[in-house]
Amino acid sequence: GPLIVQALRPLREETGASVEPGPLLCETTHAYADRTVRLRFYAATLAPESTPLAVDAAHRWVTIEELGTLPIPAANAPLLHVLRAGT
């Protein structure tokens, strides 16, 4: 749907990666001081024709375990719990 397409476009533009969207992993809302956001996280598979940009010091692939050691926005914390439960 439109929600997934809106999220995939910047991924492709910023990283060169094309992905096949999969099932919804979790949905959450998070209140900031000035607004509340609703986030939906989907599983995705790297498309065979994808040619991701080379990673650098600021961008890299990480394991779920390593992801848990990195600073992430509070709004994304529910996704980390779902990912850990699946390992």
Side-chain angles (χ1 to χ4, degrees):
L3 178 69
I4 296 173
V5 171
Q6 289 173 7
L8 296 181
R9 186 175 302 119
L11 175 67
R12 186 172 46 252
E13 291 171 357
E14 294 175 18
T15 69
S18 294
V19 297
E20 302 287 337
L24 180 67
L25 293 175
C26 73
E27 183 173 350
T28 186
T29 58
H30 184 79
Y32 290 97
D34 61 338
R35 68 190 180 284
T36 298
V37 296
R38 183 172 64 181
L39 302 170
R40 293 181 181 139
F41 299 98
Y42 293 86
T45 304
L46 196 59
E49 72 277 4
S50 183
T51 53
L53 300 174
V55 295
D56 57 28
H59 302 91
R60 60 193 167 99
W61 295 104
V62 297
T63 64
I64 293 170
E65 294 78 20
E66 188 176 0
L67 181 61
T69 69
L70 301 173
I72 63 168
N76 295 353
L79 175 62
L80 187 56
H81 294 295
V82 169
L83 293 174
R84 284 183 178 154
T87 59

